[in-house]
Each structure stands twice: as structure tokens, then as C-alpha cells.
Amino acid sequence: MTFQFNIHATDGRARSGEILTDRGVIRTPAFMPVGTAATVKAMKPGDVRAAGADIILGNTYHLMLRPGAERVARLGGLHHFMNWDRPILTDSGGYQVMSLGALVKMKEEGVSFQSHVDGSKHFVSPERSIEIQRLLGSDIVMAFDECTPFPATRERAEASMRLSMRWAKRSRDAFLLDPAPALFGIQQGSMFEDLRRESAEKLMETGFEGYAIGGLAVGEGQAAMFEVLDYAPDLLPADKPRYLMGVGKPSDIIGAVLRGVDMFDCVLPTRSGRTAQAFVLDGTLNMRNARHAEDSGPLDAACPCPVCGQYSRAYLHHLIRTGEILGAMLLTEHNVWHYQMLMQGLRDAVVAGDVAAFAKGRLERLAR
Ligand SMILES: [Zn+2]
């Protein structure tokens, strides 16, 4: 089982490199489209790959409820089931158990909850989360943790972080009984630098193939998130991938790459594609807007994606207005391309040593 992170270039705190796995190379900084229910919504896997994605994310919580991890395993694992042969990272389920499920009880052993789908009762512990992720056949397994809600008092943040660190150790022990290529630990500690430091130290004592920064993008806002990212990535090992979970808008990603983050995931490009929002260099376009009704130009003249090459804004507007499925499909495809092109631009800029200028140029256009 290969899992090797090679940093090819650094520019300030930004890094560019590759993660080598048996299922392919993950170029970093990387953006992972979210494949919640064994599908990147409205896209076929071949089109996700053609957009430039090296890895996608699968959600443990959704897949354990439907169709069930054991069923996916009997059907040959998640890669085979969904026809995606490249790397998959699975989250631990913790975040969604606590945000979507009706939380029944959280205790040291794990979390009891009711399914948001049918009200059925479930229990997830660090050990069960790792087992589910192994049944799915994940390449990058995430430690089970509690995503500390925001805002949190210092006492709440400390207790939550320490619980997550005990769960991280239990996740590691369970993982080593049946290892996959990689298990990532998740740093918590809310907005408190000393708690982030303690969390990083505890994770490094246990030892992981990569490290995530959790508990951000939970409503604190970009300025507060960047305050934490001013120090949090540097508390983690320099030679391991750093993954900022659930982020984000293009400007969030640019700012986080400048601060040393290597991996991202977010529903934004795909969800926006289903709500008539298209990402372009100057921000987002609402394709419902009547101003697009007779615009025969592409969504984004600079975008190399098949949608911009073949369809007009007027047609996309028509599809959205008439509620045609193809509208969501095409906007999603363009948005996934847009994000992957942003990542390629960031990788190239780090290698060229001008990531600060690249970031400034992109942020200025977004701010217009
Ligand atoms: Zn496009």
C-alpha cells in the first residue's frame, strides 16, 4: 500500500506536491469534489475525472444509512460500486451524525443517533467508524472526532478537543488492525491557539499519515478562520499533507493555500450547480437572472470546460428557468472545472514562485 507525500515546491508557506497512492497521484493543493451518496451529484465519474479531480470524498454517515457499508462491501467496495477507480477519502461520519442525525446521546464510548432518513437508531464509535470506512474501501480514512460547534467557550472547546484526541488514538488502534493506505488525524481546539497546539501535539504522539484541520468553516467567518490558519497548519508536521475540512469559497481556498494547506473539500461547486449559481473569475453568476436570456456568449470565456465550449449563457438560463435536469448537470460540470482550474493555477503559481501575485490577482477580481 503506497501513500507517499512529496513536496516539489514551496513559496512562502504555500506548498505544491503530489501524494502517490496505488489508485493514482493526487496533485496538491487538491480540491476534492464531494460524492455524498456514492455520487458527485449530477456528474458521471468520467466527467469528474476529466475536470481534473484526482480524488473525491465520500460521506460515511450517508453511506452507512443508505445503502449500508456492509452492502457496499458485498458489492465490491465503493470504487467499484460507483465506477470511480481513483482515490477516495471518506469522512468519519462524526460531523454529520451531529449535524444531520437526531443526536440521542454522546458519551465516551461513542455517539447514538437517529437516522434523518427513517428515524432508525444507530451507534457510531471510533472503532465502528473505522470499520465502516474500511468496508467502503476508502484510501484515506479519517479519525472519528467531534466537530466542536462554534462559538464554543474555552471549557467546552477544551473538553471537546480532548475527547476527540482520545477518539483519535482509538481510531488509530482500530485502523492498525486492518490498515488502509492512510489514516488522517483531525486537529481541533476551536479558536484557541493553545488548544490547537495541544491537539497537534497529541495527534503527533499517536502518528498519522496526514493531518486535517477541523472545526473551521462552521460559521466563524473568513477573517476568524484565517486568524486560526495563521498558526494552525504550522503546528502540524511539515512533511505530511494538511487538509482543511469543508472549505470552501475560492477566496477561502486561496487564503488557506497561502497559509500552508494542501487539501480541501466542499459541496459549494456542486450544490451551487443545482441552485443556478455559476462560478466565474469575477465571483458567481445567478443564471436565473433575466439579463442572461439573450446572451449568446459562454459562461466564462476563459474557461476550457466542455460547457463553456458548447453552450451559451442564454441556453443555460433557459434550462434553469424551465427546470430541466440538464441545467443542473451543465452548471455543476462547469463549477467543478472552475475549482479544478483554480487548484491548477495555485499549483503552477507555487512552482513558479509567484503564488502571492497569483492570489492577489484572483482576489482582486473576486472583490470587484
Ligand atoms: Zn466552464
Side-chain angles (χ1 to χ4, degrees), residues 240-271:
K240 297 282 164 58
R242 299 161 176 166
Y243 162 31
L244 179 57
M245 304 178 77
V247 170
K249 299 192 300 284
S251 62
D252 296 332
I253 291 174
I254 292 167
V257 166
L258 292 177
R259 290 166 174 83
V261 175
D262 307 302
M263 297 171 68
F264 301 88
D265 82 277
C266 189
V267 296
L268 206 51
T270 42
R271 181 174 290 165

Side-chain angles (χ1 to χ4, degrees), residues 204-218:
M204 289 186 287
E205 267 171 40
T206 302
F208 294 88
E209 285 72 29
Y211 294 83
I213 299 166
L216 293 178
V218 288

Side-chain angles (χ1 to χ4, degrees), residues 181-195:
L183 175 68
F184 282 19
I186 305 174
Q187 182 199 52
Q188 293 289 349
S190 193
M191 306 293 137
F192 303 97
E193 184 169 353
D194 60 327
L195 298 183

Side-chain angles (χ1 to χ4, degrees), residues 12 17 21 36 39 51 56 68 74 99 116 134 156 160 177 189 201 245 252 272 276 288 303 318-319 332 357 361:
T21 79
T36 302
T39 164
I56 61 170
R74 284 193 298 275
S99 61
H116 76 291
R134 296 297 294 118
R156 175 76 179 84
S160 169
L177 296 176
E201 285 167 358
M245 304 178 77
D252 296 332
S272 298
R288 274 192 181 281
C303 177
H318 161 73
L319 293 176
T332 300

Side-chain angles (χ1 to χ4, degrees), residues 303 305 308 334:
C303 177
C305 92
C308 291
H334 163 80

Side-chain angles (χ1 to χ4, degrees), residues 8-336:
H8 297 323
T10 58
D11 183 7
R13 294 171 65 198
R15 306 116 66 82
S16 178
E18 288 179 334
I19 300 170
L20 309 181
T21 79
D22 292 335
R23 285 199 170 93
V25 172
I26 304 161
R27 294 162 294 170
T28 66
F31 181 83
M32 302 182 277
V34 176
T36 302
T39 164
V40 176
K41 289 188 198 303
M43 283 187 82
K44 289 192 286 186
D47 295 334
V48 175
R49 175 61 188 154
D54 294 329
I55 176 170
I56 61 170
L57 178 143
N59 285 123
T60 285
Y61 171 80
H62 291 282
L63 294 168
M64 70 179 279
L65 297 179
R66 293 185 299 191
E70 278 76 9
R71 178 169 293 168
V72 172
R74 284 193 298 275
L75 293 168
L78 185 56
H79 295 81
H80 182 73
F81 184 55
M82 69 179 289
N83 187 33
W84 171 264
D85 61 6
R86 290 192 171 258
I88 297 176
L89 179 147
T90 46
D91 65 9
S92 71
Y95 175 73
Q96 279 154 336
V97 162
M98 294 166 217
S99 61
L100 291 177
L103 184 62
V104 176
K105 196 166 189 187
M106 186 166 74
K107 50 186 181 176
E108 186 69 31
E109 177 59 18
V111 179
S112 310
F113 67 98
Q114 276 189 303
S115 161
H116 76 291
V117 178
D118 60 7
S120 56
K121 290 196 168 70
H122 299 266
F123 175 76
V124 185
S125 61
E127 293 78 14
R128 178 59 182 156
S129 171
I130 300 298
E131 182 183 21
I132 292 169
Q133 295 181 72
R134 296 297 294 118
L135 287 164
L136 295 172
S138 172
D139 301 282
I140 302 179
V141 174
M142 298 303 297
F144 190 70
D145 70 334
E146 184 195 21
C147 180
T148 309
F150 177 84
T153 63
R154 200 198 137 77
E155 292 66 32
R156 175 76 179 84
E158 182 177 279
S160 169
M161 179 273 287
R162 289 185 179 157
L163 174 66
S164 286
M165 295 308 101
R166 293 192 296 276
W167 284 356
K169 176 70 168 67
R170 281 169 56 191
S171 297
R172 187 72 188 171
D173 291 343
F175 173 84
L176 290 176
L177 296 176
D178 177 22
L183 175 68
F184 282 19
I186 305 174
Q187 182 199 52
Q188 293 289 349
S190 193
M191 306 293 137
F192 303 97
E193 184 169 353
D194 60 327
L195 298 183
R196 290 266 169 198
R197 180 178 303 277
E198 178 184 326
S199 176
E201 285 167 358
K202 289 206 158 96
L203 292 175
M204 289 186 287
E205 267 171 40
T206 302
F208 294 88
E209 285 72 29
Y211 294 83
I213 299 166
L216 293 178
V218 288
E220 75 278 10
Q222 189 182 73
M225 180 171 81
F226 284 171
E227 264 180 48
V228 174
L229 293 179
D230 282 340
Y231 57 80
D234 291 335
L235 299 172
L236 300 167
D239 61 346
K240 297 282 164 58
R242 299 161 176 166
Y243 162 31
L244 179 57
M245 304 178 77
V247 170
K249 299 192 300 284
S251 62
D252 296 332
I253 291 174
I254 292 167
V257 166
L258 292 177
R259 290 166 174 83
V261 175
D262 307 302
M263 297 171 68
F264 301 88
D265 82 277
C266 189
V267 296
L268 206 51
T270 42
R271 181 174 290 165
S272 298
R274 303 192 302 283
T275 54
Q277 302 293 315
F279 283 88
V280 293
L281 290 175
D282 297 312
T284 54
L285 299 174
N286 180 352
M287 294 311 295
R288 274 192 181 281
N289 195 308
R291 72 188 167 101
H292 304 299
E294 296 203 17
D295 187 339
S296 58
L299 269 181
D300 180 351
C303 177
C305 92
V307 180
C308 291
Q310 299 173 77
Y311 302 96
S312 65
R313 288 189 182 192
Y315 181 60
L316 295 166
H317 169 79
H318 161 73
L319 293 176
I320 298 297
R321 281 294 187 102
T322 50
E324 289 292 337
I325 291 169
L326 185 61
M329 290 169 61
L330 294 177
L331 288 188
T332 300
E333 184 172 10
H334 163 80
N335 285 344
V336 169

